[in-house]
Each structure stands twice: as C-alpha cells, then as structure tokens.
Amino acid sequence: QISEAEVALFSVSSYACQRRTTLDNHNSNLTDALSLLAENAELSNEDGRGVAFRRAAALLKALPTQVISMSQLRGLPCLGEHSLRVIKDVLENGVSSEVESTKQSKRYKALKILTGIFGVGAKTADRWIREGIYNLEQLRDSGQTLNRAQKAGLEHYDDLNEPVTKAEADAIGEIVQKAVNSVLPGSEVALTGGFRRGKLTGHDVDFLITHPEEGKEVGLMPKVVAWLESQGFLLYQKTTRNSYLESKDGPARPASNMDRFERCFSIFKLTKRKEQETASHKIWRAVRVDLVVSPISQFAFAVLGWTGSKLFERELRRWAGHEKNMSLSSHALFDNTQNKYLRATSEEEIFAYLGLEYIPPSERNA
Ligand code: DGT
Ligand code: MG
C-alpha cells in the first residue's frame, strides 16, 4: 500500500505544444482506453468529445512515470470528469467497462471495418450502417455505388490496413526522390508525418516537395505524378489543386485549418524485397502515400504543419490564437495585433515567434 505522501505529483503544462512527448509512453494502459473512446467519438461525429479524450490521453503520454493512483492526478490540466472516470476504472479494474462495451458494440465494429476502406469517412459509414451494411461482404452484395477511391480502397483493403514500416517508407522515399529529380532537378523531398517523429510504423507515408527557387514548384505535381504513373508505381492517385494564391485579394488569411497546397492522395505499388515475399507469392503490396507541394516561402510552415501529431498541430493553433492573438496554418503565421504575416525559414523561428520552447519532431508525439 502506498501512502499519499509517497505518491509522486506531476507538474505538466496545459497545452500539448508546451510539452515534450516522446514515443516512450508509460501509461499506454490508460491512453489506449482514452484513444479508443476518442476514436469512437470522432467516428460518431462528436468532435468535441473526441478532442477532450485526445487531450486527456496526450497529457498522460507526457507523464514521466506510470500512474498508479488517482491522487497523483490531482491538479493536472486536460482531465475532464468523463476521462477521470475512465482512468479510475482502468486503475481499479484493469479495464474500462465503457471501453469494453464500445469495443463489443455492433456499431463500433462496423464503423472500424467500413472506415478502414480508403475513401470512406464516418459519414458514409454511418449511412451504410443505417442501410444494414456492417461488413465488406454486405457492402459488396449491397450494390452500393462506390467512387474511384472507395473501389481502390476495397480492392487493396488488406494491404492498406497492414501498417507501413520505416523500411517501406524509405523505399518509397527513394522512388519519390527519383521522380522529383527526373522532372525538376534541384527539387527537395522531405519525409513528414509520423515517420519524421520517429514512429516505426504508420498508416501512410507523407512527403513534402519544394524547390529552392520560388515559383519553380508551380506545375510540379502533375509532372511527378505522370512520371510515377509511367513507371508503373501508382495503383491510384487523385490530385487536388492549390487554391491558396488564387484569391484576388492576395494571400487571404487562412480561414480554417484545411490547407490549400497541391496535394496528391495516392496508392503506391511497392515491390517487396525477396525476404518479405509471403506464401501467396504476391511480389508487391499497396501503400498509401500523400504528396504535397509547397513553395519554398511557405516550406517551414508546411513542414511544421505536416509533421503532426494531429493533436500537437491542433494545440499549436489553439496556443497561437488564444495566447498570442496569431493565426497559424500550414502556409503562414499571421499576427493579428501587428496585422502582418511573420516570415520564417525554419521551424525553430516559428516556435520563437509563438513564444514557445522549440520542440523537436521526436517530442511531438502528443
Ligand atoms: P499515421 O500516418 O497514422 O502513422 O500518423 P501521422 O501522424 O503521419 O498522421 P497523418 O498521416 O494522418 O497526417 C500527418 C500530419 O499531417 C498530421 O499530423 C496532420 C497533417 N495533416 C493531415 N492531413 C492534413 C490536411 O488535410 N491539412 C493539413 N494542414 N494537415 C494535414
Ligand atoms: Mg502519416
């Protein structure tokens, strides 16, 4: 038995972007539970609840040791009533009854299966469930009209739900580098997303492409995609156009966190190395790859915005708005007090403008 006095108390900042969160999580029993409830809320269009659970999970990820008693959590930020109830349940019973019943619910299971299809979001999955579709077989039999993304998602379902390894991410990085060099020498490719934060696996691979000479990057994406296509590397691609500079009033202040870079959602056909070949003798696998092109003037903001984690990004924007009267996006930082854009060529400069200690990518795993 541990007495109150022996229990270590933690002191933790309230914004995730003020904290150093490595992949070394001492409270995965608690964060797994809260993350599942966050996911369930997001899949049910309850974004507010989702964020609350994500914030609570992120706080626990930042603690230096394992929590063993509720009394250690007294005075900590980000832990709402509901999250505390879940934590208490896990500490006392080993599991949370709410998590267990969610996991077993027919609706949650169906949402997981259906949104596991690339191109299917919570809204579509919910509509299908209301029409009695709970799994892939029922979907195939239903005669639902699928769009091109969803058809590709269904076709490569198993591959796309298999985590991507760092080795596979590096192999794809080499292909993207080669594509970019072939169509515009001097271009640069940066690995972003979870792999930049040091994760060993991911659900996709994220790349940011730029050129050191402003303007040279215009029209780059279609050329890169055409090259990849001609070499047989793409199973699917959809490119969306950048519209950030198209507004007549010049660079409008980013209204939402949805960015306007030229972006390609793709599915790569990655040839397996000999030792990775499976019994099925399939010599390739499908991998989700996101390509984004940024002009060099916005590159630092783009790298920061695409490195994640998603909660770290959300907290950075919340900090900027609430504490600094600034608007941060993946394109720019606007100071509402001075009524001007703040230029930056590195992530370090952006943290400095925001009055935050610099947090390296490996410590942004909130
Ligand atoms: P993963 O791929 O599941 O292992 O984990 P991440 O952290 O790589 O997550 P991912 O690939 O969904 O997104 C990477 C980061 O890029 C994420 O932290 C936030 C950012 N991001 C994703 N989609 C968008 C978007 O549409 N706009 C902006 N601005 N950022 C995005
Ligand atoms: Mg990713």
Side-chain angles (χ1 to χ4, degrees):
Q1 199 64 30
I2 299 143
S3 76
E4 287 249 329
E6 288 172 282
V7 166
L9 286 181
F10 304 113
S11 161
V12 186
S13 305
S14 64
Y15 286 85
C17 55
Q18 297 172 290
R19 308 191 291 250
R20 297 180 182 274
T21 314
T22 64
L23 289 168
D24 192 12
N25 178 359
H26 304 283
N27 288 287
S28 49
N29 57 332
L30 302 175
T31 59
D32 286 353
L34 293 165
S35 300
L36 186 135
L37 296 179
E39 184 192 30
N40 184 242
E42 288 157 2
L43 290 175
S44 308
N45 260 310
E46 296 174 5
D47 286 347
R49 272 157 72 87
V51 174
F53 285 131
R54 294 271 176 220
R55 280 214 191 104
L59 180 113
L60 296 172
K61 284 181 196 170
L63 298 181
T65 58
Q66 192 185 353
V67 173
I68 47 171
S69 141
M70 288 304 283
S71 62
Q72 288 172 285
L73 302 177
R74 220 179 295 139
L76 287 184
C78 311
L79 301 176
E81 212 179 296
H82 196 158
S83 293
L84 284 169
R85 208 159 62 227
V86 174
I87 294 167
K88 185 160 183 277
D89 212 4
V90 175
L91 290 181
E92 286 174 1
N93 309 312
V95 289
S96 145
S97 52
E98 185 177 359
V99 169
E100 294 311 298
S101 65
T102 303
K103 266 193 214 168
Q104 271 144 42
S105 77
K106 200 175 169 192
R107 184 182 156 78
Y108 175 77
K109 284 187 199 162
L111 282 169
K112 281 289 278 185
I113 291 169
L114 297 175
T115 59
I117 304 170
F118 169 64
V120 178
K123 262 177 110 174
T124 303
D126 182 65
R127 177 163 52 80
W128 288 345
I129 289 170
R130 279 188 276 113
E131 292 176 32
I133 298 165
Y134 288 85
N135 56 43
L136 302 187
E137 206 186 340
Q138 288 171 341
L139 177 63
R140 288 198 180 96
D141 293 344
S142 71
Q144 286 280 340
T145 316
L146 303 182
N147 64 30
R148 206 166 57 85
Q150 294 162 346
K151 278 182 194 147
L154 202 51
E155 185 176 345
H156 304 293
Y157 189 83
D158 290 341
D159 275 357
L160 298 185
N161 282 287
E162 176 82 19
V164 185
T165 64
K166 180 64 165 65
E168 289 168 334
D170 289 338
I172 290 167
E174 279 174 34
I175 295 167
V176 174
Q177 186 68 251
K178 198 169 167 200
V180 162
N181 285 344
S182 305
V183 300
L184 183 65
S187 301
E188 285 160 23
V189 178
L191 179 66
T192 60
F195 287 112
R196 181 160 184 257
R197 302 196 307 276
K199 278 180 65 180
L200 297 176
T201 61
H203 97 282
D204 67 357
V205 195
D206 308 287
F207 294 101
L208 190 58
I209 302 166
T210 191
H211 190 282
E213 207 178 309
E214 185 86 2
K216 283 267 193 188
E217 81 291 347
V218 174
L220 183 52
M221 188 70 90
K223 288 183 197 149
V224 171
V225 170
W227 189 92
L228 290 168
E229 216 137 45
S230 73
Q231 303 286 312
F233 285 120
L234 297 183
L235 295 163
Y236 167 90
Q237 69 84 17
K238 183 183 166 75
T239 306
T240 56
R241 292 274 314 147
N242 178 354
S243 58
Y244 188 65
L245 293 171
E246 284 169 11
S247 102
K248 295 227 164 49
D249 319 317
R253 220 151 86 223
S256 73
N257 56 30
M258 191 60 206
D259 77 46
R260 295 136 188 260
F261 288 120
E262 206 171 8
R263 175 175 182 179
C264 177
F265 300 88
S266 75
I267 301 176
F268 262 57
K269 180 176 182 173
L270 181 63
T271 304
K272 288 184 184 175
R273 297 210 317 268
K274 266 268 179 311
E275 60 271 23
Q276 294 168 320
E277 284 175 25
T278 50
S280 66
H281 297 293
K282 210 175 119 204
I283 58 153
W284 58 268
R285 69 161 288 191
V287 179
R288 273 274 300 117
V289 177
D290 270 4
L291 304 175
V292 178
V293 171
S294 155
I296 190 75
S297 60
Q298 300 174 19
F299 189 65
F301 297 99
V303 169
L304 178 59
W306 282 87
T307 296
S309 69
K310 280 197 188 88
L311 186 81
F312 191 91
E313 301 295 337
R314 173 182 269 276
E315 293 279 277
L316 268 179
R317 293 192 298 267
R318 190 167 70 94
W319 168 272
H322 290 191
E323 306 294 332
K324 297 284 153 182
N325 195 25
M326 292 178 183
S327 310
L328 175 68
S329 75
S330 296
H331 298 277
L333 180 61
F334 189 83
D335 184 333
N336 297 299
T337 310
Q338 296 183 65
N339 206 35
K340 70 171 192 190
Y341 283 96
L342 304 173
R343 309 265 151 223
T345 55
S346 69
E347 290 181 308
E348 283 86 345
E349 282 176 82
I350 303 170
F351 279 87
Y353 280 134
L354 292 170
L356 289 168
E357 219 176 286
Y358 177 67
I359 309 286
S362 62
E363 296 177 336
R364 297 180 202 162
N365 287 292

